[in-house]
């Protein structure tokens, strides 16, 4: 079987609290709902009918998305006046809430005209062989613009680099995600 994989577009939402130590340095912590995952493409998979009889070879698309409650903590280095740029370095810890698997089999037509229709399955993955706690490092950068003395907008990129093996099963991989965020801040 041939297998290729690629990252799934992740989704993040949450709230952040930033404490300014000085104009150049700040401390930033967040609580986020973070969805990340991976897409697999399997070639030449043996397909069977309901009785278990082999009906042919087909391809398979599998998408696994993992839903986390995440707690990133970073030190932010600020540069510039008016429109300010920043760099982040820190760590995150997160807890896996659920994992969803979506599998898509294309339709299959056999010699003789027998057709098996496209099949799509969506189910929640049991978390028995999955490490529910994740921990890793963060590197990031962004731009921050003050609209008024109390309101600002920001655009931020961060890379989350997992250090704990995601699976305790035969497959081994570590969570990696790239996050782009657009936000609005209010200075208390």
């Amino acid at each position: 079987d041939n297998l290729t994989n690629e990252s799934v577009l992740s989704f993040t939402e949450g709230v952040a609290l930033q404490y300014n130590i000085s104009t150049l340095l700040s401390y930033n912590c967040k609580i986020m709902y973070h969805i990340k995952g991976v897409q697999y493409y399997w070639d030449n998979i043996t397909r069977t009918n309901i009785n278990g009889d082999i009906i042919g070879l087909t391809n398979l698309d599998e998408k696994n998305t993992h839903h986390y409650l995440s707690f990133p903590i970073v030190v932010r280095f600020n540069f510039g006046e008016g429109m300010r740029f920043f760099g982040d370095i820190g760590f995150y810890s997160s807890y896996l809430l659920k994992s969803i698997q979506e599998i898509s089999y294309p339709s299959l037509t056999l010699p003789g005209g027998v057709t098996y229709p496209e099949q799509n399955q969506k189910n929640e993955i049991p978390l028995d062989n999955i490490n529910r706690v994740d921990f890793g490092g963060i590197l990031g950068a962004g731009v921050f613009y003050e609209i008024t003395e109390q309101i600002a907008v920001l655009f931020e990129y961060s890379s989350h680099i997992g250090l704990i093996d995601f699976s305790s099963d035969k497959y081994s991989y570590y969570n990696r995600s790239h996050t782009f965020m657009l936000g609005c801040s209010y200075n208390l």
Side-chain angles (χ1 to χ4, degrees):
D1 296 330
N2 297 322
L3 169 67
T4 57
N5 67 335
E6 64 184 47
S7 296
V8 172
L9 189 61
S10 69
F11 171 80
T12 304
E13 65 182 352
V15 295
L17 179 63
Q18 180 171 308
Y19 177 72
N20 295 325
I21 298 167
S22 71
T23 56
L24 298 176
L25 187 64
S26 57
Y27 168 77
N28 188 308
C29 59
K30 300 175 185 171
I31 297 174
M32 299 177 0
Y33 182 71
H34 195 160
I35 300 173
K36 47 191 164 183
V38 66
Q39 177 100 29
Y40 296 105
Y41 301 99
W42 303 82
D43 294 330
N44 298 320
I45 300 295
T46 302
R47 192 161 169 190
T48 60
N49 63 17
I50 197 164
N51 298 324
D53 302 324
I54 296 174
I55 58 174
L57 297 176
T58 188
N59 298 331
L60 172 97
D61 294 341
E62 177 183 352
K63 179 180 174 183
N64 296 319
T65 53
H66 311 293
H67 301 246
Y68 285 92
L69 185 59
S70 186
F71 305 97
I73 298 174
V74 299
V75 173
R76 180 165 284 175
F77 301 93
N78 304 295
F79 310 96
E81 298 283 329
M83 181 175 286
R84 297 186 306 202
F85 297 91
F86 59 85
D88 291 340
I89 187 166
F91 66 92
Y92 74 91
S93 60
S94 57
Y95 183 74
L96 181 63
L97 302 172
K98 66 179 176 179
S99 288
I100 305 294
Q101 180 184 56
E102 297 175 56
I103 299 176
S104 175
Y105 297 93
S107 61
L108 180 64
T109 302
L110 300 176
V114 176
T115 300
Y116 291 87
E118 178 180 332
Q119 293 180 356
N120 296 304
Q121 300 172 358
K122 184 176 181 178
N123 54 49
E124 198 162 320
I125 300 171
L127 302 178
D128 301 339
N129 294 321
I130 297 175
N131 289 324
R132 294 188 74 166
V133 174
D134 189 23
F135 178 81
I138 297 175
L139 291 174
V143 63
F144 180 88
Y145 180 74
E146 287 185 353
I147 297 171
T148 68
E149 192 173 301
Q150 292 184 295
I151 297 176
V153 293
L154 65 102
F155 177 74
E156 170 181 345
Y157 161 78
S158 63
S159 175
H160 293 214
I161 304 155
L163 299 175
I164 295 177
D165 190 350
F166 175 77
S167 175
S168 56
D169 206 344
K170 63 181 178 177
Y171 299 108
S172 177
Y173 72 89
Y174 297 83
N175 277 319
R176 306 281 192 267
S177 68
H178 302 280
T179 305
F180 296 91
M181 289 188 280
L182 179 62
C184 183
S185 69
Y186 182 79
N187 192 8
L188 298 175

